[in-house]
Amino acid sequence: MSFTLEETSIREIHAAYLSGQLTCVQLVQAYLDRISAYDQSGPALNAFVKLNPAALEEAAALDTKFATTRALSGPLHGIPVAVKDQAETKGIETRFGCVGLSGYIPEKDATIVAKMKAAGAIILGKTALPDFATSWFGYSSVNGETKNPYDLDRDPGGSSAGTGAAIAANLATVGIGEDTGGSIRLPSSFNNLVGVRVTPGLISRAGLSPLVVFQDTAGPMGRTVTDTAILLDTLVGYDPQDPYTTAFVIADHKGSYTQNLNPDGLKGARIGVLKEAFGSDEDPDCAQVNKVVRAAIAQIKSAGAEIVEVSLPNLMDFVVETSLYITHSRHDINKFLSSRPSLPYSSIDAIYKDGKYHKNLDLIDDIMTGPAHPEEDPAYYRKLAARDAFQRAVVKIMADNRLDSICFPPCQVLPPTREELRNGRWPVLGFPTNTLIAAQTWLPSICLPAGFTTAGVPVGIEMVVLPYHEPDLFKVGYAFEQATRYRRPPPSTPAL
C-alpha cells in the first residue's frame, strides 16, 4: 500500500479510499496502533484521556456503505478526529478535564460533534485539557501532565494540550480545540500546527463547557491550512441552542473556506507587524522566539507582501483591563454544571471545596475569588466598555495603514519546561501570551508554523484579520504556508 499515514491529509485519505488503497478500518487501526505506541507507552505523551470504544465498529460501517455506493458519505468521510474533552460526546465519558466529574456519560452530542459525525467523521477519542480549560499549560486532574512531542521536557501548551500533542504526533488526522484566550493557538504554536480561532459565534458552543461564555469558541487544529479549512466548513453554522451563533447569520458566509486557498495570497498584501507584541531581546527565551518570527516575516515580504511596522503603546493596559476570567468564569462554569443534573457536581464551588481539581491550576484559585455573578464586580461594565475600545484601537490601526492583517508571535517565550512550571515561574495570568489580543477584541486569527529554534523547538506566527473576515485568514495563511512549509513531524514519534 503506497498510502503513508504520517503527515497525511484529509484529501490524501479520501483519494486513498476512492482508489482502494485504504479502508476506514485500516486507518483507524493504524492510528490506534500509534496511540498505543506513543501516547500510552514509549514517550507517553498522555494526550488522550478516553478512546472511542466504537471507533473500529463505526469505521467498518462506513466501509460497508462505501462498498455499496462507491461514494464518500460526506466531507469528513472516515476522517479520525481527536476531540478536546471540553465537548460532550454521546456514549463516551466526558469530564471537561476535571476528575470530580468522572463517570459522566452524555446522552447527547455537542452540536459540533453531531455536525462532524453527520459529515462522516469518526471520533477517535477525547483529548486532555486542564480542568475547565483554566490554564495555558498541560495539567489536568484527570491525567496529570501532557508532554510536548518535540521536546518531552517541555509543555505542549493549553488548554487544548491533548489535541495539540495528538495532531502533532500523527495520532489523528485533525483535531478540535477550544479557545477562550488562546487555547487553540498557543498549543498550535508550541506543537508546529495550524490553529484557527474564528469570530465567536460562528461555531456553536452548545455542549461545550464555558470559561468566559461570550469569548469562547471551538475551532480546528491541523497539520495544514487546507485541513483546518475543510474541518471549519463542517463546524460553522447557526444553532438555535446557542444564541451567540447569530454571529454566523451576520457573517453571511457562503461556500467553502477552501475557496480562499490562494498560494499568491500575500502578493500585494499589506501586513502589519505589531511592535509591542515582541518580548525583549535581552531575555534568551524571547530572543529565540523573535529571531524565528522575524525570519518568517522576512519570508512574508519575499512572498510579495508589504511589511508595515505598527504600534499600540498601551497594548498591555488594554489586555489587563479587558480580562474577565476572574469576573466571569465562576458564574459561567456554575451555570453550565447546574444545567446538567446527572453530573456528580453542580458547581465549581463544590469541586473546589472538595479539592477535586489539579492543584497547579492557579487560575482556579483566582476564579474562586471572583463574584458569583459578574454584575457584582464594580469594574464589570467598565471592562466590557474597554473591550469595544480595544477592538476599535486595533481596527483603527488596520484602517489607518490599509492593512490586510496584523502579525506577531503568539507567545513571547518558548514553551516552558516542566521544571519551570513546577517551580512556579509562570502563573497563568502572568504568562506572556499574545493570543489574548485577538480573543479580547473578538478578532479572528490563525496560528501557523513559523520555524524552529536551533534546538528544534517549534515557534508559531499569529495573523489576525477584521471580525467576520475568516476567508482572509485562509488567504494569507495558506500563502504563508506554501511559501515556507515549516511543518515537520516530531522526532519522538516516528513511523511504526
Side-chain angles (χ1 to χ4, degrees):
M1 188 171 66
S2 62
F3 174 79
T4 301
L5 176 73
E6 292 74 30
E7 299 297 288
T8 193
S9 68
I10 293 172
R11 286 176 173 170
E12 288 169 344
I13 290 169
H14 282 170
Y17 287 156
L18 291 167
S19 67
Q21 293 184 66
L22 182 69
T23 67
C24 295
V25 168
Q26 288 173 327
L27 182 62
V28 169
Q29 187 60 60
Y31 280 127
L32 292 175
D33 290 345
R34 286 184 62 83
I35 291 168
S36 176
Y38 295 132
D39 199 53
Q40 298 168 349
S41 55
L45 297 179
N46 214 14
F48 282 92
V49 293
K50 185 68 66 172
L51 294 177
N52 177 7
L56 285 169
E57 181 182 338
E58 292 169 11
L62 284 170
D63 284 337
T64 298
K65 183 176 181 182
F66 179 76
T68 301
T69 64
R70 304 307 299 174
L72 301 177
S73 61
L76 297 180
H77 175 97
I79 299 301
V81 182
V83 177
K84 186 179 183 181
D85 199 32
Q86 198 170 347
E88 292 177 313
T89 43
K90 182 180 179 180
I92 304 176
E93 186 178 29
T94 301
R95 290 170 282 188
F96 315 107
C98 180
V99 71
L101 301 180
S102 296
Y104 174 58
I105 301 178
E107 297 180 357
K108 180 181 178 183
D109 283 322
T111 296
I112 58 169
V113 174
K115 287 167 78 76
M116 288 189 293
K117 288 180 178 179
I122 298 168
I123 307 305
L124 190 60
K126 308 298 291 299
T127 55
L129 71 152
D131 303 43
F132 301 110
T134 54
S135 183
W136 304 123
F137 313 124
Y139 290 110
S140 171
S141 63
V142 168
N143 72 327
E145 300 177 6
T146 301
K147 299 175 185 175
N148 188 316
Y150 291 90
D151 184 337
L152 300 176
D153 292 325
R154 290 184 183 271
D155 192 81
S159 63
S160 304
T163 299
I167 304 307
N170 286 278
L171 306 184
T173 307
V174 289
I176 295 295
E178 187 278 342
D179 190 305
T180 301
S183 292
I184 287 173
R185 293 158 293 145
L186 192 68
S188 293
S189 177
F190 287 1
N191 290 281
N192 195 225
L193 296 175
V194 179
V196 179
R197 174 188 168 86
V198 298
T199 306
L202 291 193
I203 300 171
S204 173
R205 289 86 45 81
L208 275 75
S209 64
L211 188 56
V212 178
V213 69
F214 50 73
Q215 195 173 306
D216 300 333
T217 181
M221 298 172 69
R223 293 182 293 270
T224 69
V225 173
T226 302
D227 277 356
T228 60
I230 293 171
L231 182 54
L232 185 59
D233 284 344
T234 293
L235 300 177
V236 297
Y238 175 70
D239 179 10
Q241 298 178 87
D242 181 0
Y244 288 88
T245 57
T246 52
F248 177 78
V249 180
I250 297 169
D252 195 31
H253 173 72
K254 294 179 174 65
S256 170
Y257 290 105
T258 61
Q259 295 168 344
N260 305 98
L261 303 179
N262 180 1
D264 296 322
L266 285 170
K267 288 184 178 179
R270 289 173 60 84
I271 307 297
V273 178
L274 184 57
K275 175 183 175 183
E276 288 78 13
F278 288 76
S280 169
D281 284 315
E282 301 301 314
D283 182 313
D285 264 4
C286 295
Q288 292 183 75
V289 170
N290 293 348
K291 180 180 178 181
V292 172
V293 173
R294 285 169 182 153
I297 291 169
Q299 291 189 280
I300 292 175
K301 184 176 181 180
S302 296
E306 184 176 352
I307 302 300
V308 183
E309 185 170 289
V310 296
S311 178
L312 185 58
N314 53 344
L315 173 64
M316 284 311 301
D317 292 338
F318 271 128
V319 169
V320 172
E321 177 67 1
T322 56
S323 176
L324 285 170
Y325 294 104
I326 295 175
T327 301
H328 236 279
S329 296
R330 182 181 171 196
H331 168 269
D332 292 351
I333 295 170
N334 282 345
K335 184 177 180 180
F336 177 83
L337 295 178
S338 64
S339 69
R340 285 152 172 78
S342 57
L343 284 172
Y345 285 90
S346 60
S347 71
I348 193 172
D349 302 61
I351 290 170
Y352 187 78
K353 180 181 178 181
D354 287 353
K356 298 290 187 178
Y357 66 99
H358 198 291
K359 299 307 186 294
N360 283 35
L361 300 177
D362 57 285
L363 183 57
I364 289 184
D365 296 326
D366 293 335
I367 286 170
M368 294 311 299
T369 69
H373 301 278
E375 299 84 359
E376 296 170 3
D377 179 355
Y380 178 50
Y381 293 105
R382 188 191 75 221
K383 286 176 171 287
L384 286 179
R387 289 191 162 221
D388 288 334
F390 192 9
Q391 185 187 79
R392 282 195 299 273
V394 175
V395 173
K396 187 176 189 300
I397 288 173
M398 297 184 72
D400 289 346
N401 293 279
R402 295 176 287 111
L403 300 179
D404 296 280
S405 175
I406 296 177
C407 72
F408 43 80
C411 185
Q412 294 180 9
V413 297
L414 295 175
T417 65
R418 286 292 168 199
E419 183 179 2
E420 287 174 330
L421 293 179
R422 289 172 185 143
N423 291 338
R425 180 184 178 188
W426 295 118
V428 167
L429 294 180
F431 191 58
T433 176
N434 290 320
T435 54
L436 291 166
I437 297 169
Q440 291 172 201
T441 56
W442 296 296
L443 296 177
S445 88
I446 188 169
C447 177
L448 301 147
F452 295 82
T453 67
T454 54
V457 179
V459 175
I461 188 169
E462 185 172 353
M463 305 183 82
V464 302
V465 297
L466 295 170
Y468 307 109
H469 282 231
E470 278 72 16
D472 292 339
L473 286 181
F474 292 101
K475 179 181 176 182
V476 295
Y478 183 76
F480 175 81
E481 175 191 60
Q482 297 304 298
T484 58
R485 297 189 180 274
Y486 281 127
R487 167 66 201 171
R488 71 181 188 221
S492 69
T493 56
L496 292 177

